[in-house]
Structures are given as C-alpha cells and as structure tokens.
C-alpha cells in the first residue's frame, strides 16, 4: 500500500525543480541512490492495459499520450454528477479521471473527449459485468468487407435489414487524443482511491490543497493519420535509413487448418476431389490492447469446432468417405476478415493446395454458447439461394439435424447472413453454405468485442473448493451444451461427406470440451496443455487470463495452442525417435509428405518429475493470415483489410504526489542557484588549487 511506501513531494508535471536537484546529486552520489529515491516518489501500476492506436485505409482509432507521458491530478468519478468537478469546477486542471466501469459509456467518453481539462483516463473494471451489457464494437461488424454491397444484395448492405450488434456503441472505433488505461487489479484501484481520498477529496466544500495525488500515463504512439501514411513512412525509413524505425505494423498471424484425409500440401489436389470446409474464427478484440477474452464471440465456437473434429476422427470409416473435410480456424476475422480473405486470395492465386472449385459446401460455427432452449439457428445467403444449383445443396445443409438434444431451425430465407468468414468465400464464388449461431436475428451476446466477454458471460460455473486438476476435468453445463452442438456438427459433416454408417455412434466428448474451455478461458498453464506442446514453447502457458487478440509479426499464443490441441485431438502417436520426429524427411516413410510431425513433451511420469515425450503425426498446418492488401502494397484498399497497429516504445502508468506551481518555481530557482554556486565554487577551487592544496615544504628543491 502507498502508505507503507510513503511519498516524496515531486514537482511533476514540469519535470524540473526537485528532480533537477535529485538528478544533480545522483550524478555525484551514484545511480543506486537515485533509483531508491524514484521508488519513494512513484508507485508504478503494473496490472494495466492501454488503449493503443490502430489505423486503416481511411483513419486512425484508439488513444495516445504525449511524447513524455500525460500527467494530471486524480479525480474519482463514481457517478455522472462527479464529472462537473473535472469539466468545470475543479481548480487544478488538467485532471486524470478514475472512472468506474459502469460509467464507461460512449456518451460520457465524448464529453471527456471534448474537454481540454482532461489529460487521461483510468477505467476500473466492473465486477460483476455491467447488467445492461457493454459492446465497444460496431453495430454492423466488418461493414463493407462482407459479401453484401451495391452489386450483391444491396438491400442487405450496411446492416439495413438486420442490426447484428444493437448494443455496439462504436467506442473502440473512436480516436482519443489522451491516454486511456484499464485497471485490471482491484488492489491497485483501491490504492489510487485511497491516495485520492487522503489528498484530493474536497472537504466541506473547500478546495483541496497541495500536495495533490497525481497520475502519469505513458502511451505515445508513433503512427498517425491512416495506414497509407504510416506504411509510406515505414517504407521510406526502410529504403533510405541504415537504422530504420518503422512506425506501424500490419495486423497478421496464421490460420490453422487440417484435413480429415491427408493431402500433399506441396501440390494441388485433383480438380475432381470435393472438400467440405468447416470454419470458425479464433480471434477477438476489445477497447484495450490484448484484453480480448472472447468467450462467446470466439472461444465457444472454436472449442466446439475442435470437439467436432475429434469426434469425426474417431469414426472407423472416415478415411473411406467420398469427400474430404477441411477444419479451418481463421485468425484476424475481427479486423475485416484478415484470415479468410487471405485464404480465398491464396486459393485464387493457386498458392493453396485446395482450389475454390474443390469446395463442395461450407459450414461455419458462429457464436453458439448462449442458446435459448435447445435451438440452434441456421443462417443462409438469400442471394445465392436464387441459383437453382445452389438451392438444393443449401436445403440439404439446413435439414441436417441428428438429435443430441439440439434442434436446428432455419431463419427466414429473406434474412441475410450474419458477419461471418463465409461471406468472404461468397465474394469470390457462389458456394452452398450455412452459418450456425445461437441467435436468430441480433446477437444474444451483450458483451461482443468487450473485456467482459469472459467465462462468466457463457455461464461457466465451478463448485467451490476444487483443485486446479479437478477444475480442469469438471464438466460444466456449458461444456455439455457445446458438446451437443459439436455432436450435431460432426454427424452433419459425416453425412455431407457421403457417410452412410450409423451416426448415433458419433459423439463429442463433454470432458474434452471442459478441458478446452478451462484452458482457453481460465488458465492456459494447466497439466493438459503442458503435455501437448513442444518443450521449447513452455512460455506459451502464462499465468495470466488467456487473451485472443491478433498479433503483428509473430504467432500469438491462441494460434499455437489451437494448432497443438487440434493435432492432439485428431493426430496419432507414432513410434518415432526424437531425431526422426524432428527430421521426418530422413525417414523411409513414403507418406511423410502427407503429414506433419511434432515432438511434444508429454505428461509427467506418476513416479517422477520427468515427462514422457512422444511424436504426434497429424494433418495440421499453418498458413499466413495477413491481408492481401499488404502483399499487393495496396494500403488504401477497399477490397481487403488494411488494419495496422502503431508502434510504441514505452507503456506504463504510475501515481505520485505533485506540488503547487509556486513550489515548483521556487524549487527550480533554488536548484538553479545551487547549480550556479556549485559551478562557481568548483571553478574557484580549481583555479586556486595550487594554493589550496600545496604543502609548506613544496617551496624548493631538496638536495640529498
């Protein structure tokens, strides 16, 4: 607590005065003393998440601080009436507002945005989640990048027919010229409030006197204006500078995909071969950087997808099915369909082993965790259904319901598709397809693209007192529900692929669904995830809550974990040594080009602390999820996603006591005076050194 650490009066925000003296003294006394003084002055806030700047072809969104950070006197806003103090009445602007999570609304934020008296904002996360819902996303997600346009179903474009996310306030797509941080730790929030109450709280209507409690937020962004501008500047830096400093990076990662029957990825499959694609997205987003739990918007659907893939691979005759099935997990879909648009582009450019013409049908799992009763809604495209060759296939897809306590109901044929990856495929070719969702019209998810889209949002509940291992394997009602959906999907895919066997034997495992939900929503660092990854990837399993935000250059944790979970659920253990597994090209196996081999660390031996590693053979592959706009250098594209993320050097937050302007000036003047006197004294001593430091016996030579 700050009372235990104590405060030293500091003359921020000018950065002069006392710090000037401290820096001068530290030069002569050593840096350790200066560091200890800094620890007494500042209390760092370590559990925070910033709002950062993102850009697309036309504009910028997000937040940023000034180059040296923004500082302001803290004022706690617990009700809307408290805003009057920071916007008009308070005598010590600029203010750093600590805002309760329930008040973090578009209307209030626009009031703060229009005031010059605000230097920044810290938002305390609301627990429990706001009952009225909170979605900083758009009412019409990915508008303009789906299939509906002036040339294709114009009556459905821009959500004219159905507003999919009615609670969306668009806050995450606004541009703020001050920093905004999320306070994730209730203890740190309480420290700030205590400091405010001790120093800043007006007493009996009187104005609080200095010293006052202040906060400083650092989140300066290098990129400005739009993607076209930032990419041009980065290109110039790369071309003409020996030490280039790029200012932004394209949002990019990798899609994860595998096939039921192995294919040779180094060549194209036969034009006559038919493939059924089943797809989900694996990314989410919120107002704050890398705070994207995505329980309903992403995790529930891709966990259901994984469970369906496992159930299908257990069927004895799947390798003899007339059609192949491709399990696809798209990355970056939140940002105008990055992953799916790249896969379609690669298929069109013959850079992918499967062509668009090979696609028999398309089944997508959208948000599926918040079903009312036992109903799952089937969404189709009304435009392509007018095609006589497409309509019968879609009807067949719509009628595939195989029990498992789930009823498939088709929405009105006049209703368009919800936001979905399938729309990007329809832009390229009319393909029979359906999107399965728990909503008939608008989303049931009240926290779409929000930091509140957590395990609680999809009603995951555990009994108290369970150990981590017991929690990992505890089958929740949510897991049972999603396993039922996975069972229906697996049975439908089996029939679509030409299977004629008894589908009642195809059953998704609720225990495995529970494990995946626990790992992707609550704790990645669990014994099961540890056993299925490579030994050198242990860093994937952090102790923080899992987040599912797309990266800019490297594989994000979600992508790699989905890759290894899919390999574990659908692959087979082969009797390879470590050397053979890591270098399968050196083995005589004739099918080595059809598979991917992974040496995983395995589970712990019950009688020791060591693990028992093994080799997994699977058909799981990665392919780039980077918008074609950046490959084509069409940074202003309206066809493909153009989202980039600004670079930054320093993101941090801290609180301290700040002195009055008068004391700042006095301290600065005294500091300068001491410096001048020190310089004069040093000059005088140096000039008279031969007199001041000579000994009486130095007058002449000594003879011996």
């Amino acid at each position: 607590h700050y009372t235990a650490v104590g405060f030293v009066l500091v003359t921020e925000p000018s950065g002069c005065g006392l710090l000037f003296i401290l820096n001068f003294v530290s030069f002569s006394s050593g840096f350790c003393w200066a560091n200890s003084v800094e620890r007494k002055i500042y209390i760092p806030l370590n559990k925070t998440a910033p709002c950062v700047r993102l850009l697309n072809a036309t504009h910028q969104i997000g937040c940023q601080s000034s180059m040296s950070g923004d500082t302001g006197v803290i004022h706690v806003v617990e009700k809307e009436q408290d805003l009057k103090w920071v916007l008009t009445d308070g005598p010590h602007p600029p203010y750093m507002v600590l805002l309760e999570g329930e008040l973090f609304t578009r209307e209030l934020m626009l009031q703060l945005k229009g005031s010059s008296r605000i230097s920044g904002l810290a938002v305390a996360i609301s627990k429990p989640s706001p009952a009225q819902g909170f979605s900083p996303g758009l009412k019409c997600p990915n508008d303009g990048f789906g299939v509906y346009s002036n040339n294709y179903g114009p009556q459905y474009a821009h959500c004219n027919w159905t507003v999919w996310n009615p609670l969306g306030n668009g806050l995450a797509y606004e541009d703020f010229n001050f920093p905004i941080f999320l306070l994730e730790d209730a203890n740190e929030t309480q420290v700030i409030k205590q400091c405010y109450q001790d120093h800043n709280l007006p007493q009996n209507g009187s104005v609080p006197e200095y010293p006052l409690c202040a906060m400083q937020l650092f989140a300066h962004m290098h990129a400005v204006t739009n993607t076209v501008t930032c990419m041009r500047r980065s290109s110039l830096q790369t071309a003409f500078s020996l030490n280039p400093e790029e200012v932004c990076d394209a949002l990019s990662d990798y899609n994860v995909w595998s096939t039921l029957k192995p294919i040779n990825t180094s060549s194209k499959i036969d034009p006559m071969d038919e493939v059924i694609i089943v797809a989900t997205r694996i990314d989410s987003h919120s107002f704050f950087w890398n705070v994207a739990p995505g329980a309903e918007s992403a995790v529930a659907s891709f966990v259901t997808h994984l469970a369906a893939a496992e159930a299908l691979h257990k069927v004895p005759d799947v390798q003899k099915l007339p059609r192949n099935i491709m399990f696809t997990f798209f990355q970056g879909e939140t940002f105008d369909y990055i992953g799916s648009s790249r896969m379609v582009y690669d298929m069109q450019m013959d850079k992918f082993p499967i062509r668009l013409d090979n696609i028999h049908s398309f089944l997508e799992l959208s948000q599926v965790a918040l079903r009312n009763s036992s109903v799952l809604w089937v969404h189709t495209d009304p435009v392509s259904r007018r095609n006589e060759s497409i309509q019968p296939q879609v009807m067949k897809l719509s009628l595939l319901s195989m029990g498992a306590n789930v009823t498939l109901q088709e929405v009105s044929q006049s209703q368009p598709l919800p936001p979905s990856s399938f729309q990007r495929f329809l832009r390229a070719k009319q393909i029979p397809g359906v999107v399965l969702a728990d909503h008939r019209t608008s989303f049931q998810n009240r926290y779409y693209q929000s930091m509140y889209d957590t395990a609680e949002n999809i009603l995951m509940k555990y009994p108290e007192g369970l150990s981590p291992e017991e929690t990992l394997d505890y089958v929740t009602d949510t897991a049972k529900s999603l396993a039922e959906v996975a069972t229906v999907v697996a049975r439908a895919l089996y029939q679509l692929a030409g299977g004629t066997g008894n589908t009642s034997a195809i059953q998704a495992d609720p225990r495995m669904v529970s494990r995946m939900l626990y790992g992707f929503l609550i704790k990645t660092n669990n014994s099961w995830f540890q056993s299925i990854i490579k030994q050198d990837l242990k860093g994937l399993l952090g102790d923080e809550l899992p987040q599912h935000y797309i990266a800019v250059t490297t594989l994000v944790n979600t992508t790699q974990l989905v890759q290894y979970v899919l390999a574990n659920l659908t692959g087979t253990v082969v009797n390879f040594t470590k050397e053979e597994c890591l270098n399968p090209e050196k083995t005589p196996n004739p099918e080595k080009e059809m598979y991917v081999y992974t040496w995983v660390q395995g589970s712990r031996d019950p009688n020791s602390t060591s693990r028992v590693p093994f080799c997994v053979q699977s058909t799981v592959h990665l392919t780039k999820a980077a918008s074609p706009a950046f490959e084509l250098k069409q940074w202003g594209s309206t066809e493909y996603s153009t989202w980039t993320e600004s670079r930054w050097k320093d993101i941090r937050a801290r609180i301290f006591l700040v002195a009055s302007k008068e004391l700042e000036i006095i301290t600065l003047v005294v500091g300068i005076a001491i410096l001048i006197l020190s310089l004069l004294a040093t000059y005088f001593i140096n000039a008279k050194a031969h007199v001041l430091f000579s000994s009486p016996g130095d007058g002449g030579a000594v003879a011996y």
Side-chain angles (χ1 to χ4, degrees), residues 110 298 358 431 442 535 591 595 684:
L110 292 182
N358 293 118
I431 299 168
S442 57
Q535 186 174 10
E591 294 186 336
Y595 295 98
F684 174 77

PDB file of all heavy atoms in Angstrom, residues 110 298 358 431 442 535 591 595 684:
ATOM      1  N   LEU A 110     -17.472  10.893 -24.867  1.00  0.00           N
ATOM      2  CA  LEU A 110     -17.465  12.008 -25.807  1.00  0.00           C
ATOM      3  C   LEU A 110     -17.459  13.348 -25.070  1.00  0.00           C
ATOM      4  O   LEU A 110     -16.908  14.336 -25.573  1.00  0.00           O
ATOM      5  CB  LEU A 110     -18.670  11.911 -26.740  1.00  0.00           C
ATOM      6  CG  LEU A 110     -18.641  10.741 -27.735  1.00  0.00           C
ATOM      7  CD1 LEU A 110     -19.853  10.766 -28.644  1.00  0.00           C
ATOM      8  CD2 LEU A 110     -17.354  10.754 -28.565  1.00  0.00           C
ATOM      9  N   ALA A 298     -15.693 -15.971 -29.796  1.00  0.00           N
ATOM     10  CA  ALA A 298     -14.695 -16.804 -30.481  1.00  0.00           C
ATOM     11  C   ALA A 298     -14.488 -18.166 -29.825  1.00  0.00           C
ATOM     12  O   ALA A 298     -14.600 -19.204 -30.470  1.00  0.00           O
ATOM     13  CB  ALA A 298     -13.367 -16.055 -30.569  1.00  0.00           C
ATOM     14  N   ASN A 358     -12.813 -26.766 -55.712  1.00  0.00           N
ATOM     15  CA  ASN A 358     -12.878 -28.029 -54.978  1.00  0.00           C
ATOM     16  C   ASN A 358     -13.884 -27.986 -53.829  1.00  0.00           C
ATOM     17  O   ASN A 358     -14.224 -29.036 -53.266  1.00  0.00           O
ATOM     18  CB  ASN A 358     -11.503 -28.394 -54.397  1.00  0.00           C
ATOM     19  CG  ASN A 358     -10.472 -28.729 -55.452  1.00  0.00           C
ATOM     20  OD1 ASN A 358      -9.444 -28.063 -55.580  1.00  0.00           O
ATOM     21  ND2 ASN A 358     -10.745 -29.777 -56.224  1.00  0.00           N
ATOM     22  N   ILE A 431     -21.071 -20.487 -53.310  1.00  0.00           N
ATOM     23  CA  ILE A 431     -20.838 -21.805 -52.724  1.00  0.00           C
ATOM     24  C   ILE A 431     -22.007 -22.112 -51.791  1.00  0.00           C
ATOM     25  O   ILE A 431     -22.433 -21.240 -51.033  1.00  0.00           O
ATOM     26  CB  ILE A 431     -19.512 -21.815 -51.920  1.00  0.00           C
ATOM     27  CG1 ILE A 431     -18.323 -21.502 -52.836  1.00  0.00           C
ATOM     28  CG2 ILE A 431     -19.311 -23.146 -51.212  1.00  0.00           C
ATOM     29  CD1 ILE A 431     -17.048 -21.209 -52.072  1.00  0.00           C
ATOM     30  N   SER A 442     -30.478 -10.423 -34.070  1.00  0.00           N
ATOM     31  CA  SER A 442     -29.323  -9.761 -33.463  1.00  0.00           C
ATOM     32  C   SER A 442     -28.643 -10.680 -32.451  1.00  0.00           C
ATOM     33  O   SER A 442     -29.234 -11.642 -31.944  1.00  0.00           O
ATOM     34  CB  SER A 442     -29.754  -8.459 -32.790  1.00  0.00           C
ATOM     35  OG  SER A 442     -30.751  -8.706 -31.820  1.00  0.00           O
ATOM     36  N   GLN A 535       8.539 -28.730 -25.891  1.00  0.00           N
ATOM     37  CA  GLN A 535       9.215 -28.313 -24.673  1.00  0.00           C
ATOM     38  C   GLN A 535       9.702 -26.870 -24.748  1.00  0.00           C
ATOM     39  O   GLN A 535       9.674 -26.142 -23.767  1.00  0.00           O
ATOM     40  CB  GLN A 535      10.397 -29.249 -24.380  1.00  0.00           C
ATOM     41  CG  GLN A 535      11.072 -28.959 -23.045  1.00  0.00           C
ATOM     42  CD  GLN A 535      12.140 -29.985 -22.711  1.00  0.00           C
ATOM     43  OE1 GLN A 535      12.488 -30.797 -23.556  1.00  0.00           O
ATOM     44  NE2 GLN A 535      12.672 -29.935 -21.503  1.00  0.00           N
ATOM     45  N   GLU A 591       4.770 -41.826 -46.733  1.00  0.00           N
ATOM     46  CA  GLU A 591       3.685 -40.861 -46.547  1.00  0.00           C
ATOM     47  C   GLU A 591       4.123 -39.636 -45.755  1.00  0.00           C
ATOM     48  O   GLU A 591       3.287 -38.866 -45.290  1.00  0.00           O
ATOM     49  CB  GLU A 591       2.513 -41.538 -45.830  1.00  0.00           C
ATOM     50  CG  GLU A 591       1.833 -42.624 -46.645  1.00  0.00           C
ATOM     51  CD  GLU A 591       0.590 -43.154 -45.947  1.00  0.00           C
ATOM     52  OE1 GLU A 591       0.520 -43.026 -44.703  1.00  0.00           O
ATOM     53  OE2 GLU A 591      -0.296 -43.678 -46.625  1.00  0.00           O
ATOM     54  N   TYR A 595       1.931 -35.661 -43.934  1.00  0.00           N
ATOM     55  CA  TYR A 595       1.679 -35.391 -42.515  1.00  0.00           C
ATOM     56  C   TYR A 595       2.664 -34.368 -41.955  1.00  0.00           C
ATOM     57  O   TYR A 595       3.709 -34.089 -42.548  1.00  0.00           O
ATOM     58  CB  TYR A 595       1.782 -36.685 -41.696  1.00  0.00           C
ATOM     59  CG  TYR A 595       0.727 -37.720 -42.022  1.00  0.00           C
ATOM     60  CD1 TYR A 595       1.013 -38.780 -42.889  1.00  0.00           C
ATOM     61  CD2 TYR A 595      -0.540 -37.643 -41.473  1.00  0.00           C
ATOM     62  CE1 TYR A 595       0.053 -39.738 -43.192  1.00  0.00           C
ATOM     63  CE2 TYR A 595      -1.515 -38.596 -41.772  1.00  0.00           C
ATOM     64  CZ  TYR A 595      -1.217 -39.634 -42.624  1.00  0.00           C
ATOM     65  OH  TYR A 595      -2.168 -40.571 -42.923  1.00  0.00           O
ATOM     66  N   PHE A 684      36.367  28.204  -8.735  1.00  0.00           N
ATOM     67  CA  PHE A 684      37.287  28.889  -7.818  1.00  0.00           C
ATOM     68  C   PHE A 684      38.296  27.909  -7.227  1.00  0.00           C
ATOM     69  O   PHE A 684      39.501  28.188  -7.180  1.00  0.00           O
ATOM     70  CB  PHE A 684      36.480  29.564  -6.704  1.00  0.00           C
ATOM     71  CG  PHE A 684      37.334  30.169  -5.620  1.00  0.00           C
ATOM     72  CD1 PHE A 684      37.997  31.391  -5.811  1.00  0.00           C
ATOM     73  CD2 PHE A 684      37.505  29.519  -4.399  1.00  0.00           C
ATOM     74  CE1 PHE A 684      38.782  31.925  -4.820  1.00  0.00           C
ATOM     75  CE2 PHE A 684      38.294  30.054  -3.409  1.00  0.00           C
ATOM     76  CZ  PHE A 684      38.937  31.275  -3.606  1.00  0.00           C
TER      77      PHE A 684
END
